[in-house]
Amino acid sequence: MMKYKLIIFDADGTLRYCTVPGQPCPNRSGEWELYPDVKEKLASFNWSGPESESGVGYGIASNQGGVGSGYFAEDTAMNLLKDTFVEAFGFNPVEGTILMCPHIPYSGCICRKPEPEMLNGLMRIYNVSPSDVLFVGDRDADRDAASNAGCDFQWVTEFFNRDPETEV
Ligand SMILES: [Mg+2]
Ligand SMILES: [Zn+2]
């Protein structure tokens, strides 16, 4: 039985990696790939939402500080995240389930992880409690965002059974 009603994913370093050497995140299409274990694992869930029997909701919560730094536009970042979702999950996300913070670090914004606002927003959409939510990520800021939101957290290596030495 599925313990969670909502599973939220970080994007970079969790679902996808950047294929440009030395660049942490994709700035345009063609600069990312899914990790090879993502599709198969995600296909094992029923993503029809917490309203349905054995269903679970989904979301992405991604820091995209490259927007605030001027590397790419906000709509480009969002489109890259939506493309990542579609390739990973195999269907189009419900409107509002892909959230990102476009601000630079230490800007004082309320959304950049480890702030919990993106996770809180997704919980509001699905009307679920923090105890029903799992957040999956690869950084301390992800773990701390989950803690600040009151959600459970799993490292990406654990959720996908990914070798920590996976080189990209
Ligand atoms: Mg990440
Ligand atoms: Zn922000």
Side-chain angles (χ1 to χ4, degrees), residues 14 17-18 23 52-53 69 77 87 90 98 108 114 125 130 141 149 151-152 155:
T14 297
Y17 62 94
C18 183
Q23 183 177 302
S52 69
E53 186 77 18
S69 300
E87 185 158 336
I98 311 295
I125 286 178
C151 308
D152 281 356
W155 292 106

Side-chain angles (χ1 to χ4, degrees), residues 34-98:
L34 290 184
Y35 286 99
D37 47 23
V38 166
K39 277 190 197 180
E40 187 182 2
K41 174 70 176 181
L42 295 186
S44 69
F45 292 91
N46 169 5
W47 297 111
S48 59
E51 306 294 313
S52 69
E53 186 77 18
S54 82
V56 58
Y58 54 81
I60 286 180
S62 174
N63 286 350
Q64 292 292 321
V67 174
S69 300
Y71 292 123
F72 52 112
E74 186 163 346
D75 64 339
T76 302
M78 179 55 78
N79 287 334
L80 289 170
L81 288 171
K82 286 181 176 169
D83 290 348
T84 301
F85 181 96
V86 170
E87 185 158 336
F89 286 75
F91 57 89
N92 288 311
V94 167
E95 188 69 31
T97 56
I98 311 295

Side-chain angles (χ1 to χ4, degrees), residues 65-66 69 103-108 112:
S69 300
H103 308 112
I104 58 172
Y106 309 110
S107 70
R112 186 178 170 87

Side-chain angles (χ1 to χ4, degrees), residues 100-103 107 109-112:
M100 68 174 194
C101 165
H103 308 112
S107 70
C109 79
I110 63 162
C111 41
R112 186 178 170 87

Side-chain angles (χ1 to χ4, degrees), residues 10-14 113 137-139 142:
D10 169 55
D12 293 300
T14 297
K113 296 173 291 185
D138 71 312
R139 295 282 182 92
D142 297 318

